[in-house]
Amino acid sequence: MEYCLDTSVFTEAHRRYYGFDIAPGFWVAIENNIVNGKIVSPMIVKKEIDKGKDQLATWTKSMAGVLFVEPDERIIENIQIVADFIENNYENTGEKLQFLGNADPWVIAQAKANELIVVTAEARNPNESINKATYKINGRIKIPNVCEKLDIPWIDTFELLRRLDVRLGLI
């Protein structure tokens, strides 16, 4: 495995630019790379997607046995590292609870535990600032920012497609 995909990769692709009806090649390419062992995702990502009860949720059910991974001991150890980092380095309690309450920390922990590259559709938060009184980070907590601080490589969906040499819509 090389890449650990965040929920946003699937939901953004499905809702925006790679709908099943207009870009089936995207989904075939993802499936091929799952089968080839290059792509993985935490089980909690599937659980987030399943809430949608749409075509994407149906697709994730078909991928359940090969794409989504239950946390093992190493991932559990790393989720604690990620959670401690968030708790000790970010200011806003609401932001911390929101971040820690979804799949984001699990994606990061799985990548860290298995030396994978995180793939997310989230943009880096350029507006982080340090509270001079507490020395903690203000602003929205985003996967790219946390990855950078924990020395975990990350890319977006388009870079993933480039690295996997996926070509859509060739004429």
Side-chain angles (χ1 to χ4, degrees), residues 7-152:
T7 308
S8 65
V9 173
F10 303 108
T11 57
E12 288 295 306
H14 169 61
R15 292 179 188 151
R16 293 181 184 254
Y17 38 81
Y18 297 133
F20 289 96
D21 58 336
I22 59 170
F26 172 83
W27 301 99
V28 170
I30 294 295
E31 289 173 14
N32 288 341
N33 282 283
I34 292 167
V35 171
N36 292 337
K38 291 185 178 185
I39 292 176
V40 69
S41 200
M43 186 59 74
I44 193 169
V45 166
K46 179 186 180 305
K47 292 175 183 173
E48 284 187 350
I49 294 170
D50 284 349
K51 293 176 187 174
K53 309 247 185 271
D54 56 10
Q55 191 173 6
L56 180 59
T58 301
W59 180 84
T60 59
K61 284 183 180 81
S62 72
M63 294 288 111
V66 292
L67 170 60
F68 301 103
V69 177
E70 292 287 355
D72 60 17
E73 193 172 308
R74 290 178 318 177
I75 295 169
I76 299 295
E77 289 170 9
N78 280 280
I79 194 67
Q80 191 60 54
I81 292 168
V82 174
D84 288 346
F85 175 81
I86 297 300
E87 185 59 38
N88 295 328
N89 291 282
Y90 281 88
E91 184 76 31
N92 185 300
T93 300
E95 282 289 326
K96 292 190 282 192
L97 289 173
Q98 181 178 347
F99 184 85
L100 293 172
N102 65 39
D104 295 356
W106 292 96
V107 171
I108 295 167
Q110 187 165 337
K112 184 169 177 52
N114 296 293
E115 298 182 3
L116 305 173
I117 298 168
V118 169
V119 182
T120 183
E122 284 187 14
R124 188 179 178 287
N125 179 0
N127 297 319
E128 284 189 336
S129 63
I130 303 293
N131 179 324
K132 291 182 184 354
T134 63
Y135 297 104
K136 291 190 176 187
I137 303 166
N138 287 311
R140 296 222 33 221
I141 305 171
K142 296 291 203 167
I143 290 174
N145 297 75
V146 176
C147 285
E148 288 174 4
K149 289 174 180 62
L150 294 176
D151 294 322
I152 300 166

